[in-house]
Amino acid sequence: MGIERPPSVDRLARSLTSSGLPHAICVEVAREAIESQRVDDAQLMARQRSRQMLRPVINATGTLLHTNLGRAPLGIESSARYANVELDLATGERGSRQRTIAGTVALAAGAEDALVVNNCASALMLVLAALAPGRGAAVSRGELVEIGGAFRVPDVMRQSGAQLIEVGTTNRTRRKDFEAAIDVADVALVLSVHQSNYKITGFSEQTPVSELATLGVPVVADIGSGLLDAACPWLDGPPPPWLADEPAARQTLEAGADLVIFSGDKLLGGPQAGIIAGRRDLVEACGRHPLARALRPGGLVLEALQQTMLKYIARDGASIPFWRMASEPVETLRTRAEGIVASIGSGEMPTVVTVDTDAVPGGGTLPGRTIPSCGVAISANIMDHLRNGDIPIVARMQDGRTICDLRTVDPADDELLGGRIGEALGQPR
Ligand SMILES: *Cc1c(COP(=O)(O)O)cnc(C)c1O
């Protein structure tokens, strides 16, 4: 009996083309399968490799801004054409990639001027580097927050070259604490950071921006989530109750902040970006700093952000996917859930039923706030099956049941979702 020889890498790679992966990656997978003596698993390994690629995902978790799923859903159109990223079409001369977008962002936020960078973390970095190099930036001890693992305010400040001046106490910081700091230290600016993902309750007090604005040094407010206007004029009704006291760009500037900074992909519902908006001279100082070049976004982001901002200016929240999903009436979601349950047909085990749920804004915003929602509950764990399709569906488990919350699902995907649930329960497609 001869020892079976492993197949050639090339032949095995060729047998993997149905995975849709380019040949060079099939070769890598084939080589790995042969080296680890898992030739029989090569197809599976190729499928796994293909699944690790970035792809559209259906979010049935009920978390609107899901950090693992890229935060805000983006429904933008893009073409294969070039864009006038740095061309002034009026003169044919080289233009500024920031100028047009700045006007649109500034108008939407009620600011004098604006600058766009890659995310809110880089916005904070740039503001500190440009406005407080080697000087002090005063922050309340109650606002030295960590947001999403790697973003810690004290660390960003250290990297920026600004000197952190801690003011007040963890639970209470008053205007006079800032005043005292300004008396003894070289304070270039006061930084107010929204606590975003946690709350201090009980005997606590933070100094409002309106009081910080009377200290005589520039006030920079990191409001984080990018709510543009507390009145939500882009919605048909009043602001939803789950927004409660979330700080908004327009009102923070009106209260006297010299600059606000915020994310593009949280409550703004746009692409990943960081926005610096406010006083023109300060925005311009940020734009002149060498870091601005390193942190500048590409044309794809600018185009997506512009589309989002124009929808705000047109007061058309229904065409911003985040706001459309967040403000869908729960009755509509229930009707959709009933349709999905009916399409599957239930009765035997496991059961499929309509369920009332709590959706959440997510993305490190609005801790503890929920949005009434509705979905489909399956009395079994079918999470793996849902996740392992061409268009993966991410749901969540609760009390041993798989919950598919419809608030974060595009209605156009209901049929696919119903089909995949039926499939998981052994029904023919
Ligand atoms: C989320 C958040 C950030 C970080 O924003 P990124 O866009 O993720 O960099 C910074 N500050 C506050 C207050 C936040 O809520």
Side-chain angles (χ1 to χ4, degrees), residues 71 118-122 124 145 147 151 153 193-197 222-225 261-266 272-274 363-365:
R71 290 195 185 155
N118 285 325
N119 49 37
C120 190
S122 43
L124 179 57
V145 299
I147 290 160
F151 179 90
V153 170
V193 184
H194 179 40
Q195 292 168 344
S196 289
N197 55 0
D222 175 1
I223 61 169
S225 74
I261 61 174
F262 51 91
S263 288
D265 53 354
K266 293 184 181 171
Q272 181 190 302
T365 67

Coordinates of all heavy atoms in Angstrom, one line a residue, residues 71 118-122 124 145 147 151 153 193-197 222-225 261-266 272-274 363-365, ligand 1:
R71 N -21.3 51.0 13.1 CA -22.2 52.1 13.6 C -23.3 52.5 12.7 O -24.1 51.6 12.4 CB -21.3 53.4 14.0 CG -20.4 53.2 15.2 CD -19.9 54.5 15.7 NE -19.0 54.4 16.8 CZ -18.0 55.3 17.1 NH1 -17.9 56.3 16.3 NH2 -17.2 55.1 18.1
N118 N -10.9 62.4 10.3 CA -11.3 61.0 10.2 C -12.3 60.5 11.2 O -13.0 59.6 11.0 CB -10.1 60.2 10.2 CG -9.4 60.2 8.9 OD1 -10.0 60.4 7.8 ND2 -8.1 60.2 8.9
N119 N -12.3 61.0 12.4 CA -13.2 60.6 13.5 C -13.1 61.6 14.6 O -12.3 62.6 14.6 CB -12.9 59.2 14.0 CG -11.4 59.0 14.3 OD1 -10.8 59.9 14.8 ND2 -10.9 57.8 14.0
C120 N -13.9 61.4 15.6 CA -14.0 62.4 16.7 C -12.7 62.4 17.5 O -12.2 63.4 18.0 CB -15.2 62.2 17.6 SG -15.5 63.5 18.8
A121 N -12.1 61.2 17.6 CA -10.8 61.1 18.4 C -9.8 62.0 17.7 O -9.0 62.8 18.4 CB -10.3 59.7 18.4
S122 N -9.7 62.0 16.4 CA -8.7 62.8 15.7 C -9.1 64.3 15.7 O -8.2 65.1 15.7 CB -8.4 62.3 14.3 OG -9.6 62.0 13.6
L124 N -10.4 65.7 18.3 CA -9.9 66.2 19.6 C -8.4 66.4 19.6 O -7.9 67.4 20.1 CB -10.4 65.2 20.7 CG -9.9 65.6 22.1 CD1 -10.4 67.0 22.5 CD2 -10.3 64.6 23.1
V145 N -13.0 60.8 30.5 CA -13.7 59.5 30.2 C -12.9 58.6 29.3 O -12.0 59.0 28.6 CB -15.1 59.8 29.6 CG1 -16.0 60.6 30.6 CG2 -15.0 60.5 28.3
I147 N -14.0 56.1 26.2 CA -15.1 55.7 25.3 C -14.7 54.7 24.3 O -13.8 54.9 23.5 CB -15.6 57.0 24.6 CG1 -16.3 57.9 25.6 CG2 -16.6 56.6 23.5 CD1 -16.4 59.3 25.1
F151 N -10.2 54.9 23.3 CA -10.3 56.3 23.3 C -10.4 56.8 24.8 O -11.4 56.6 25.4 CB -11.5 56.8 22.5 CG -11.7 58.3 22.6 CD1 -11.1 59.1 21.6 CD2 -12.4 58.9 23.6 CE1 -11.2 60.5 21.7 CE2 -12.5 60.3 23.6 CZ -11.9 61.1 22.7
V153 N -9.7 60.1 27.2 CA -9.4 61.5 27.0 C -8.0 61.9 27.5 O -7.2 62.6 26.8 CB -10.5 62.4 27.7 CG1 -10.1 63.8 27.8 CG2 -11.8 62.2 27.0
V193 N -16.2 67.6 28.0 CA -16.4 66.3 27.3 C -17.7 65.7 27.8 O -18.0 65.5 29.0 CB -15.2 65.3 27.6 CG1 -15.4 64.0 26.8 CG2 -13.9 66.0 27.4
H194 N -18.5 65.3 26.8 CA -19.8 64.7 27.1 C -19.5 63.3 27.7 O -18.7 62.6 27.1 CB -20.7 64.6 25.8 CG -22.0 63.9 26.1 ND1 -22.7 64.1 27.2 CD2 -22.7 63.0 25.3 CE1 -23.9 63.4 27.1 NE2 -23.8 62.7 26.0
Q195 N -20.2 62.9 28.8 CA -19.9 61.6 29.4 C -20.4 60.5 28.6 O -20.2 59.3 28.9 CB -20.5 61.6 30.8 CG -19.8 62.6 31.7 CD -20.5 62.8 33.0 OE1 -21.7 62.5 33.2 NE2 -19.8 63.4 34.0
S196 N -21.2 60.7 27.5 CA -21.6 59.7 26.5 C -22.1 58.4 27.1 O -23.3 58.1 27.1 CB -20.5 59.4 25.5 OG -20.3 60.5 24.6
N197 N -21.2 57.6 27.5 CA -21.5 56.2 27.8 C -21.7 55.8 29.2 O -21.7 54.6 29.6 CB -20.5 55.2 27.1 CG -19.1 55.5 27.5 OD1 -18.9 56.4 28.3 ND2 -18.2 54.8 27.0
D222 N -16.6 68.6 23.4 CA -16.6 67.3 22.7 C -18.0 66.7 23.0 O -18.2 66.2 24.1 CB -15.5 66.4 23.2 CG -15.5 65.0 22.6 OD1 -16.5 64.8 21.8 OD2 -14.7 64.2 23.0
I223 N -18.9 66.9 22.1 CA -20.3 66.4 22.4 C -20.5 65.0 21.9 O -21.5 64.4 22.1 CB -21.4 67.3 21.8 CG1 -21.3 67.4 20.3 CG2 -21.3 68.7 22.4 CD1 -22.5 68.1 19.6
G224 N -19.5 64.4 21.2 CA -19.5 63.0 20.9 C -20.4 62.5 19.8 O -20.0 62.3 18.7
S225 N -21.7 62.5 20.2 CA -22.6 61.7 19.3 C -23.1 62.4 18.0 O -23.6 61.8 17.2 CB -23.8 61.3 20.1 OG -24.7 62.5 20.3
I261 N -17.0 69.5 18.8 CA -16.4 68.4 18.0 C -17.4 67.2 18.2 O -17.9 67.0 19.3 CB -15.0 68.1 18.3 CG1 -14.8 67.6 19.7 CG2 -14.1 69.2 18.1 CD1 -13.4 67.1 20.0
F262 N -17.6 66.5 17.1 CA -18.5 65.3 17.2 C -18.2 64.3 16.1 O -17.5 64.6 15.1 CB -19.9 65.7 17.2 CG -20.3 66.6 16.1 CD1 -20.8 66.1 14.9 CD2 -20.3 68.0 16.2 CE1 -21.2 66.9 13.8 CE2 -20.7 68.8 15.2 CZ -21.2 68.3 14.0
S263 N -18.7 63.1 16.3 CA -18.5 62.0 15.4 C -19.5 62.1 14.2 O -20.6 62.6 14.4 CB -18.8 60.6 16.1 OG -17.8 60.3 16.9
G264 N -19.1 61.5 13.1 CA -20.0 61.5 11.9 C -21.0 60.3 11.9 O -22.0 60.3 11.3
D265 N -20.6 59.2 12.6 CA -21.3 58.0 12.5 C -22.0 57.5 13.7 O -22.3 56.3 13.9 CB -20.3 56.9 12.0 CG -19.1 56.7 12.9 OD1 -18.9 57.6 13.8 OD2 -18.3 55.8 12.7
K266 N -22.3 58.5 14.6 CA -23.2 58.1 15.8 C -24.6 58.7 15.4 O -25.1 58.4 14.4 CB -22.6 58.6 17.1 CG -21.3 57.9 17.5 CD -20.8 58.4 18.8 CE -19.5 57.8 19.2 NZ -19.0 58.4 20.5
Q272 N -18.1 57.4 9.0 CA -17.1 57.7 10.0 C -16.3 58.9 9.7 O -15.7 59.1 8.6 CB -16.1 56.5 10.1 CG -15.0 56.8 11.2 CD -13.9 55.8 11.2 OE1 -14.1 54.6 11.3 NE2 -12.7 56.3 11.1
A273 N -16.4 59.9 10.6 CA -15.8 61.2 10.4 C -15.7 61.9 11.7 O -16.4 61.5 12.6 CB -16.5 62.0 9.3
G274 N -14.9 62.9 11.8 CA -14.9 63.8 13.0 C -15.1 65.2 12.5 O -14.5 65.6 11.5
G363 N -23.7 52.4 20.2 CA -22.6 53.2 19.8 C -22.0 54.0 20.9 O -21.3 55.1 20.7
G364 N -22.2 53.6 22.2 CA -21.7 54.3 23.3 C -22.4 55.6 23.6 O -21.9 56.5 24.2
T365 N -23.6 55.7 23.0 CA -24.4 56.9 23.3 C -25.6 56.6 24.2 O -26.0 55.4 24.2 CB -25.0 57.5 22.0 OG1 -26.0 56.6 21.4 CG2 -23.9 57.8 20.9
Ligands
LIG1 C1 -17.6 58.5 20.7 C2 -17.0 59.6 21.3 C3 -15.7 60.0 20.9 C4 -14.9 59.2 19.9 O1 -15.5 59.3 18.6 P1 -14.9 58.6 17.4 O2 -15.6 59.2 16.2 O3 -15.2 57.1 17.5 O4 -13.4 58.8 17.3 C5 -15.1 61.1 21.5 N1 -15.7 61.8 22.4 C6 -17.0 61.5 22.8 C7 -17.6 62.3 23.9 C8 -17.6 60.4 22.3 O5 -18.9 60.1 22.7

